[in-house]
Structure formats: structure tokens, C-alpha cells
Amino acid sequence: MNPATAMYIIQALHGLAYGMLLFLVASGLTLIFGMVGILNMAHASLFMLSAYLCYQVLAFTNSFWMSLFLAPLITACLGLLLERFFLRKVQAHGLGHIAELLLTMGISMVIAESVKSIWGTESLVISIPPSLDGLASFAGIHYPIYRLFIIGLSFCILALLVTVLYKTKLGKIIRATASDPGMVSILGINTPKVFAGVFALGAWMAGVAGVAAAPMLTVFPGLADQVGMDAFVVVVVGGLGSLLGAFVVSLTLGELNSFGVQFIPKLAPVLVFGFMAIVLSLKPNGFFGEGDH
Amino acid sequence: MAGNIKKLVLGFILLGAIGIAPRFLGIISLNMAVELAIGALFAVSLNLLLSYTGLLSFGHALFFGMGAYVMGISITYMDGITLIPAILMGSLAAGLTALIFTPLLVRVTGTAFSMLTMAFGQLMYVLCIKMRGITGGEDGLTLFDMPLLSVPGVFSLDMTDPATLYYTVMGVVLISIGCMWYFTKTPLGGVQAGIRDNAQRVEYLGFHVSASKAVIFIISGTFAGLAGCLAAIFQQVISVDGFLRINVSFMPIMAIMIGGLGHFLGPVIGTIFLMFLNQMAMRYTDKVELVFGIVFIMVVMYAPYGIHGLWVKARIYWGIFRHRKGALGKEERT
Amino acid sequence: MSFILETQDLRHDFKGMKVIRGVDLQIRQGERHAIIGPNGAGKTTLFNLVTGMYRPRHGHILFKGQDVTKLKPYKRNRLGMGRSFQITSLFEHQTVFEHLRLGILSRMGVRYNFFKPMTMVKGLTEEVDAMLARVNLSEYRDQWASLLSYGKSRALEMTLTMATNPDLVLLDEPCAGMSAEETRNAVGLIRELTTGKSMIIVEHDMDVVFSLADRVTVLHYGKILACDTPSEIQKNKDVKDAYLGHGMKKQ
């Protein structure tokens, strides 16, 4: 194959891998926003925490699969606790979204500092599990298996999410709660429980993304800010609360990042925010946004 | 009326204290006072939006940084410029930035507004890092030769002298906060409060809600820019992390929350508290952010209306306590 | 005959559901006009079209002979159109005085001034106090609106609407949820405040409608069924069939 074509394909795959990871983080963020109008500032911190947990579980068990199972689970439980003992209480104050934004910001600070004191400020090296190491070759293109694994894993979770949301009764309830919590609660459905479930689900997905990203990205205390900012852009540009928007924009951002780094390395970060600025100037509520909450 | 006199007397005492403080304070405390005043001005400018119009800007660092950078750039690249035009340029640039964003921002409300402001704040942050040629990138701009704050032939102040800087900053901050307070008492200020509580109704009373919001957004942005200029003069280094990072946007919001949402001077009290907390945290631990994070969580959870809210609550309880005591006394007598 | 408000073939739908299906309404200068109709007839939607909350899909709205179809609510208000809300729509953290002050400021055209404190705007405080006295709300002057009784807050709602001194005022169910006595007071207040003005009122309480209105329009499934004097409406067979038949029995 033509080397230039191969390069394009490889860059596109890089973009896809990062884009899918981003989607795993952003989808939880946007679902939570759709349901209660909270933009959870601590969401990316959960993602980072999971990457660190992956490191820890690896150190104990030496099994990547074990950490892929355990770390997201712990993250989900933590998410559940955060929702139950912090967010839900603050919602009762009736101060509106400012209180929730600040609370989650405070939580993210606490998580970041805890991570620093437990694991230090140095970046940790997490090696790719041997079974997924190496390059896959196809039609003259050599591509890391691990990244293909990430892409595959993300699509599995995406499929799972879509099935749950659009094929099950639970999904119907979740989507109805997202569009009109008051009405659903009148119908006799325990909305706080549904919301707690979604919060945990979002945290779990962020956790999976964290473990998957750990061998690919550098694990350091600034990881939350780095990925969180991209996830934030995804949610805002895609339209607050829109899952489809999050998907489309995640992939766009992934590709933008990947090709940006390749062709205009100096301006790559500006590209992302420039993209956001242009979209928002034309559509202040994002691509698929429906207006205010 | 008695309340007004009490307030007036209190105000004069405070003014006097600010006036004679440099005689008693060391250089470190003096610098802290300057930092505090600047932080308070920034927070009050944000509060004008938040408590009086109900708009939560999550990217106010954009204006703070804009003021600082434009001032710094004009000092660095324009020979012989004095400080007054540089500050004016900085503040006006911030106001102008706000003006540019208004068509966008008046169309959204609620969380979307916060997110949009944050998004543009981040855009500016990244741009400033990348425009190394003008902004110095990550290293920032260092103002080696601080120009004099002067009107030729009238006065000339040297900003590198701590006491002069102190008096200048205090003067500018007090006048600015005074202007903003005055503003809340004018018709447009009254309309803002209406918009905060019920924008639709205000529209049906014949007020152009979007235009009113735009005006206050620009005013708030301009004063935030002024605060940025003062901070740049004080620190003499303008860096992306010190002026444009998300934390810079976040601090005044926290100051408002801690001081008490909806109260004009809440952010000033909040800034004092945060300053104090910062000192304490730095003295006793190396985990300043952890302390801040925990305090934020505690405030949001247990004192949602901040210090002002606690004060009001305490007064109510004190009232109940006295009332009960009085009632008990009567019972005993009868 | 000059009409203060005229709608021409007004149509509106929500996601395909036709709510207003060609309404030609003509309100005369100085009349008190009631719009009645069963629930879902489109009364509130008609109100929202006339006052500018929605833009109609089709048709025109003429106010004082001027086409206002595309004007925003605040512009319609400045031309002299005011409205009250069905669900009390006040300012939570403001006193009764501050409410009316906003209204009076708008009437005076002092909207963007940020140089002069409100206490120094000439005649402002006096006018507000005069208005408060006129509607017997003086004793609540410095109380927060959110602490008023239901009847009083409805009265404030109406007074606030009138504070901008509109020539045409639209009242959306001003007496909904009121006791008999509160209703009597409210009707008195409406009479007092709308003397010499044109008024459109949507109301379910037929006693209120027939005691206040000069003419009544009956809206049924987004169309005008009849438009006549109250006594003629009561005799109208179509109206009886469609609405009043059982509506009257209940009253």
C-alpha cells in the first residue's frame, strides 16, 4: 500500500481510539447533565482515579484483566457514594446549578490531591498486557493491537449502552427521566434511584476508559484536566444532554487531534477550541442541543 | 436612619484603618492587603453578574487575563507609554471582549451560559500559550520596567514602591467597588434584579432583557479587566497560569459562595476568608488544594448561603433565644 | 370603527397539533372583551401569540393599526400592550414597592440609566406610593412579594401589569383559584384599574365574565364560535351546545 495512504489510515485509527475513549468519558457526563442538569466537574477525576486504581490492582494481582474488572467497579461504587451523600443533599438546598458545579469542583480537587499524596506526582508507567502487545498487520499496515483492543472495547460498551437505553424498559425510563424528571416521578417511578443508577453507570464507563487509557496515555495527576477538558468540549459542542452529539463530536475531536498533531503540531490544541468556538458561535446550544434546562 | 449612620461610621473607621495601615504593617502584610483588594474587586465584578443578574460566568478569567495581557503588551511594545493609558487600554480591551461575546451569551441562560463562558475562557488560555511571540507563551510576560503612574506635570507615582502601590490599588479598588454598588441602585440595576428573579416578566414590562444583560456583562467584564491590570502591576509577571487558568475563574466564584450569594459585599468577605485559609493551609500543610477542596465541599453542603447566611441564621437563633428567655422571665414573675 | 387590536387569520400549531386554526379577532377601542371556551380551546395560546411569546405560523396581528406580528414582547409593551399571567409571575426576592417601581420605570421610559440612583428619579417614589394607595397595598409596601397572601399577590400581579399604563391589557385568568370574596375584590380592582382602557380577559368564572365584559368571544378548538354581547352569547344555541350547556349547570 502507498505509504501516504497507510499514514492516513493509521492516523485515522489513532483518532478513532482516542475519540472512543473520549466518548466513554463524555457519554456519562452528558447523560448526567440530561437527567439533572448537573455538569459533573469531578467526572474526569473519576476517570483519572480509575487509571491509578488500574496501576494499583496491577501491582497486587499482576493481571490487566483483573484491573479492567475491578477498577471500574470501584469507581462506580465511588460515584454512587458521591451521588448519594453529596450531590443529592446539595440538590435539596435549591440553590440551583451553581452549588452542584462548585461541589463537584471541590470533589475533583480532593480527588486530585489524594491521588498526588497516594501515588506521588511522577507519571506512572503501565505496560501493555502481553496478550495485547505487538502490532497487527493488515494489507501492509502495521497497527498496535492494544489500540485496536481499545476501539473494540469501546464499541462493545457503546453497543451495550445503546441496547440498554433503547431496547429495555429501564432505558425508556432513563430517557424519559432525562427529558422530564417531574413527570416521570409523578408516574410513580423512583427518579432519585434512576439517577443514582445513571450516575454509577457514567462513573463505570469513565472507569473503563481510565483503565483502557492507562497503558496508552501517561498516568499523572494532570490527566483529569487534560481529558476532562476534551470531554467538556465534547459535551458542550455536542449539545448538553445529547448522547448522539457526544458520539459525533468525540470522534470528530479524536480525528481533529490526531491529524492536527500530524500536520500542524503547534496548533493542535487551538484546533480543538477553535472548532468549539465556531460551532458555538453558530449554535450556542451545541450541535444537538435543545436549549436550556 | 440609625442603621445608616452606623454604617457610615463603620465605613469611615474602615477607611481610616486602610489609610493608616501601612504605618503598622510589614511589607508582607502590605502585599497581602494589595492582593486581597485586587481579589475582592475581581470577585465583586463577577458578583455583579451572579447575584444581580443571575448569570454564572465560569470563564471570568478571560476578562481578568485580557486586561492584564493587553496592559502588559502595551507596556512591553509601546515605548514611553505611562501606566494610566495602559491600564485604560487593558480594561477597555476586556470590556470590548465582553461586547464581542454578548450576541452569543445573551442567547443562552443557566448552565449553558456557564459552560459557554468557560469554553471561551479555555480558548483564550490555549491561544495565549500558543501565541508565544506576543504573550511569551508559558513563560509569560515580565514587566521589567514598570512605567510610572503619572499625569505629566501633575503627579507621578512609582508602582514599585510597596506603600505607593498599596494606596493606589486601594484607591482604585474602593472607587471601582463604589461605582458598582452605585450601579445596583440605578434603574438598570433594578432591572437586573428583576431579570435574575423572572426574566420573562421583565420583558413583558417593556424592558429589553437581552440588551440589559449585555450592558451588565460588559460592565462586569471591564471591571474584571481592571482587576487584571492591577494584579499584573502587583505581580510584575503576567503568566497564563496566574491569569487565565480555570482556577482563576473559580476563585471569585468561591469567594462569592463563601461570603454569601446575593449580598453585595459577600465576595469581599469571601476573599478575606480565602486569603486567610490560604495562609493557614500553607503554614500547616503542603496540601493546600486538599484543604480548599474540603472547605468548598463543606460550604456548599452546610452553609450554602455562606458567611452572610450563617450570620443571618445566628441572628435569628439569637432572637429566638432572647425571646424564650424573656418569656421564661415573665412566667417566673407571674 | 377603529379597532385597537385585530388579528387576521391567525394560525398556530405545536409540532403539527393545530391549536389556533384561523382566528379573526377584533377588539374595539375602550371595550372590555372576554374570551371564553372549554379547556384546550386555545385561549392561552391566543394570548401568547398576541403578546409575542410565540410567533404565529400564519396570519397577522395589528395593534393600533400597526403590524406587530414580528415584534418582541418588550416592543409590544412599549406600544401600549400589557399582560398578566395565569400563574402568578412576580419577583421572588423583591418587595411590593420594588415591583411597582420597575413597572413605573418602564412607563417613564427610564430603562437603561445607570448614572442616576432610582431614589433620585423625579416623581418615581411618589408615583409608586400613589399606585400602592390606589390599590390598597400600601401596608405591604416593604414586604417581600413571596410572603403575600394569594389574593394580595394576584392583586400585585395585576397592578404590576397596569403600572406600565398600557392602552390594551390582557388578563389571563385573573380570578383563578380565588374564593368568592377574593373574586369580588379582584373584579372591583379590575374595574378600577382598567377604566378607559381596552381589555381582553380570559376567565373560567362566568360570573366574572358576564359582569365585566362588553362583548364575549367563544373559542372552540382554535376557532371563533361566536362573538357577541354577553346576553346574546347566553342565548346562542351553538355556544350552548359546544360549551355553556354543561358549563352553566356547574356554575
Side-chain angles (χ1 to χ4, degrees), chain C residues 14-33:
Chain C
F14 293 110
K15 290 181 180 166
M17 204 173 91
K18 293 188 174 115
V19 181
I20 299 291
R21 306 184 301 162
V23 168
D24 295 277
L25 193 67
Q26 284 158 341
I27 310 294
R28 292 177 193 146
Q29 191 80 47
E31 79 169 327
R32 295 198 176 108
H33 196 109

Side-chain angles (χ1 to χ4, degrees), chain B residues 14 40 45 51 109 125 190 226 240-241 245 299 303 321:
Chain B
L14 207 67
S45 82
S51 288
T109 48
Y125 175 71
L226 180 60
V240 275
D241 279 343
R245 244 186 83 141
V299 167
F321 175 68

Side-chain angles (χ1 to χ4, degrees), chain B residues 182-191 193-209 211-212 215 219, chain C residues 51-53 73-74 77-78 83 85 89-94 102 105-106 110-118 157 160-161 164:
Chain B
Y182 183 80
F183 170 80
T184 63
K185 302 289 170 201
T186 64
L188 189 61
V191 174
I195 292 174
R196 176 196 61 202
D197 284 350
N198 191 341
Q200 191 186 48
R201 186 72 208 227
V202 172
E203 175 102 14
Y204 277 104
L205 288 176
F207 296 100
H208 192 347
V209 169
S212 308
V215 172
I219 292 175
Chain C
T51 54
M53 191 182 291
Y74 74 93
N77 179 282
R78 289 183 196 176
R83 78 166 289 181
F85 287 80
S89 178
L90 297 170
F91 308 111
E92 209 180 325
H93 304 291
Q94 293 186 43
L102 265 184
L105 275 173
S106 174
V110 187
R111 296 189 180 96
Y112 298 107
N113 187 322
F114 54 88
F115 301 113
K116 203 178 202 175
M118 284 183 277
E157 165 89 40
L160 179 58
T161 302
T164 63

